[in-house]
Amino acid sequence: MADQPTAGERFIQGILPENPVYRQLLGLCPTLAVTNGLQAAITMSAAVMFVLFCANVIVSLIRNLLKPHLRIVIFTLTIATFVTIADRFLAAYVYQMSKVLGPYIPLIIVNCIIICRCEVCASKQGVVAAGADAIGQSIGFCLALSSIAAVREILGTGMLFSIRVLPEIWPDWVVMVLPPGAFLTFGLLLGAINWYSSRKARG
Amino acid sequence: MKPIQPMEPMPLGTLERIKNNNIIQAWLVLILALLFGSSLAGIQITLGPKIEENKINETREKVPELILGKEAALKMTEAGQSLNVMPHSFVVEKPGRKAAYNVYEALDTKKNRLGWVVKAKGQGYADKIELLFGLDAAVEKITGVFVLEQKETPGLGNKIVTDEWRGQYIGKSTAKPVGVIKGGGAGSDDINAITGATISSKAVTDIINSAIADIKGPLAEKAKGGK
């Protein structure tokens, strides 16, 4: 289709201009839940990248066979399959991490970023564009998650990647590790990004 | 002559009717389900043993903590000592069904029995809960509980993994089933349910109670029989 963005545009859009978390406000459940440590956030992003890429490619390959009223069933089926693969893989090779992430990995099935990308891009465009879109969006998701997780982990525990970065006298700000910290950090970062982009737009 | 109704539907041809059949329309869904299902079965066959192995390793790691308590286990690790862990499996005959249990017997370096760790699973609120619990050598007291696998609601049911909640089971007698009290104020034979997650709390307690009921006899017999 002529009016669809190209693969390169899709890729770039996903990272910042249409960042799934900061711009589209999608996938907030994992964003708020698994960002109390950078390691967990990156594992989660990797799992989402795998699922999003595979689902986008498969949906793009079968896009001409989709019936409009059955498309969501097929998206969900595809996504659920790859989520199960990711879940089993983590349990087999990164066992401790899979316990930390617990139910959030299976919850990727209902992550709206993935179904949104299947609907918006993969079901309308070719495999290359769909793949590029998936990678761009996942990088955007990973950046968003890591930024929140870095702030929360440093302020909450004085550590980064479980290695101490702040001096011992830092009073661990426990609320940052707990759910309210996720809302606070996310809200402030979102505000900062909106403020910056509106200032840039005014020139 | 009967006038033709403007809204009367045209009779469909056989081909049309086949095309509109729900099953035919869903052919892609069915084929994909078949393909995905078989590939998932393949993944499970390949990765299943590895996941089981991880769980067994974790179980062995947790045995000292479950039997001696956290501090004693930590001290032991620091001193470079370890317990001998002997795996056993028991099959308990019950009316209408058989229940199999993996039990790990913990022995100190002088071959004295310190206690038992039983692996049990059952239905939780969201999915199967798999847990370990420790019993003392005479099978009279619960010495600890550890959750191996759970997918309970984040923020509510998944509090069953916290040290604080699990700690309530330590020291409970096996003579009668552990009860669950809602809203606090549990007595010596009961535990407090997690606020907003009574089902998860009850599920864990039920798994432990039924496993104790099944395994207490065989374990006590074994405890008397050998050293």
Side-chain angles (χ1 to χ4, degrees):
Chain A
M1 266 180 255
D3 56 342
Q4 293 283 0
T6 61
E9 282 167 359
R10 283 287 192 202
F11 176 75
I12 294 293
Q13 269 178 3
I15 299 179
L16 284 176
E18 278 183 25
N19 185 294
V21 175
Y22 285 126
R23 286 280 173 246
Q24 305 179 53
L25 299 185
L26 291 178
L28 295 186
C29 159
T31 305
L32 297 174
V34 299
T35 51
N36 49 9
L38 205 46
Q39 250 167 334
I42 287 175
T43 315
M44 183 72 189
S45 309
V48 167
M49 179 180 275
F50 167 74
V51 175
L52 182 52
F53 184 78
C54 296
N56 254 11
V57 167
I58 297 259
V59 168
S60 173
L61 284 173
I62 57 170
R63 68 186 186 282
N64 296 323
L65 303 171
L66 290 176
K67 292 232 179 346
H69 63 288
L70 290 175
R71 67 186 197 289
I72 301 286
V73 179
I74 289 178
F75 295 167
T76 318
L77 198 66
T78 317
I79 295 166
T81 306
F82 290 109
V83 169
T84 314
I85 293 175
D87 182 44
R88 296 285 85 189
F89 186 85
L90 287 180
Y93 296 104
V94 218
Y95 185 63
Q96 283 312 320
M97 201 30 126
S98 92
K99 289 196 75 164
V100 171
L101 293 172
Y104 295 105
I105 292 287
L107 277 177
I108 298 177
I109 294 174
V110 288
N111 188 323
C112 31
I113 296 175
I114 300 172
I115 216 155
C116 160
R117 295 331 292 176
C118 286
E119 174 82 23
V120 172
C121 175
S123 63
K124 299 195 175 82
Q125 287 191 276
V127 178
V128 179
D133 181 71
I135 296 174
Q137 295 282 338
S138 318
I139 293 176
F141 184 65
C142 183
L143 285 177
L145 246 60
S146 323
S147 61
I148 300 171
V151 172
R152 288 180 68 192
E153 197 176 352
I154 289 181
L155 295 182
T157 60
M159 296 197 273
L160 206 56
F161 281 115
S162 308
I163 298 164
R164 187 155 275 283
V165 288
L166 292 181
E168 288 285 343
I169 51 164
W170 173 256
D172 290 348
W173 200 7
V174 182
V175 73
M176 295 310 281
V177 189
L178 300 174
F183 281 97
L184 265 174
T185 316
F186 177 58
L188 290 174
L189 286 177
L190 184 62
I193 284 177
N194 282 346
W195 173 76
Y196 177 75
S197 54
S198 74
R199 217 181 64 146
K200 222 171 95 179
R202 268 189 273 130
Chain B
M1 201 177 76
K2 193 180 153 205
I4 293 171
Q5 295 285 328
M7 291 305 286
E8 199 174 330
M10 291 267 291
L12 292 174
T14 323
L15 197 68
E16 285 285 294
R17 244 182 301 162
I18 290 176
K19 251 186 168 174
N20 284 343
N21 183 300
N22 288 335
I23 303 285
I24 303 291
Q25 290 221 342
W27 69 271
L28 186 59
V29 180
L30 296 175
I31 288 178
L32 282 180
L34 216 67
L35 272 177
F36 288 157
S38 43
S39 53
L40 283 184
I43 295 271
Q44 182 59 35
I45 290 168
T46 346
L47 294 183
K50 178 97 182 114
I51 298 171
E52 269 318 297
E53 200 188 306
N54 285 340
K55 272 189 202 159
I56 291 172
N57 285 342
E58 189 177 23
T59 307
R60 285 177 172 271
E61 252 169 53
K62 287 291 164 191
V63 166
E65 187 186 322
L66 285 172
I67 288 177
L68 305 171
K70 207 166 192 170
E71 279 167 29
L74 213 67
K75 243 182 235 163
M76 211 182 68
T77 323
E78 275 168 9
Q81 293 168 325
S82 63
L83 293 178
N84 289 323
V85 180
M86 293 238 301
H88 299 281
S89 70
F90 290 89
V91 177
V92 184
E93 298 269 2
K94 307 238 290 186
R97 69 184 178 94
K98 271 185 187 169
Y101 287 93
N102 286 325
V103 178
Y104 299 84
E105 183 182 4
L107 305 163
D108 68 6
T109 39
K110 292 181 194 111
K111 296 269 176 201
N112 294 317
R113 182 182 297 119
L114 295 171
W116 313 85
V117 169
V118 183
K119 193 169 171 183
K121 68 171 159 186
Q123 184 63 41
Y125 178 66
D127 200 351
K128 286 248 157 43
I129 298 177
E130 216 175 316
L131 43 84
L132 298 172
F133 61 91
L135 296 169
D136 65 346
V139 204
E140 280 165 351
K141 274 197 175 87
I142 299 173
T143 53
V145 174
F146 180 78
V147 180
L148 265 185
E149 197 177 333
Q150 56 88 22
K151 292 199 165 51
E152 303 300 282
T153 322
L156 293 170
N158 75 352
K159 284 190 188 148
I160 57 172
V161 304
T162 57
D163 283 353
E164 200 187 351
W165 191 77
R166 287 189 285 126
Q168 295 188 83
Y169 288 98
I170 297 175
K172 295 283 183 260
S173 161
T174 58
K176 68 184 218 184
V178 180
V180 179
I181 303 288
K182 217 169 147 177
S188 62
D189 290 329
D190 313 306
I191 55 131
N192 286 316
I194 299 164
T195 314
T198 316
I199 297 178
S200 300
S201 316
K202 252 193 96 55
V204 172
T205 313
D206 287 346
I207 295 168
I208 294 176
N209 285 339
S210 80
I212 288 178
D214 285 352
I215 202 89
K216 200 180 164 184
L219 279 187
E221 216 167 89
K222 203 165 167 60
K224 259 185 245 152
K227 51 175 184 174

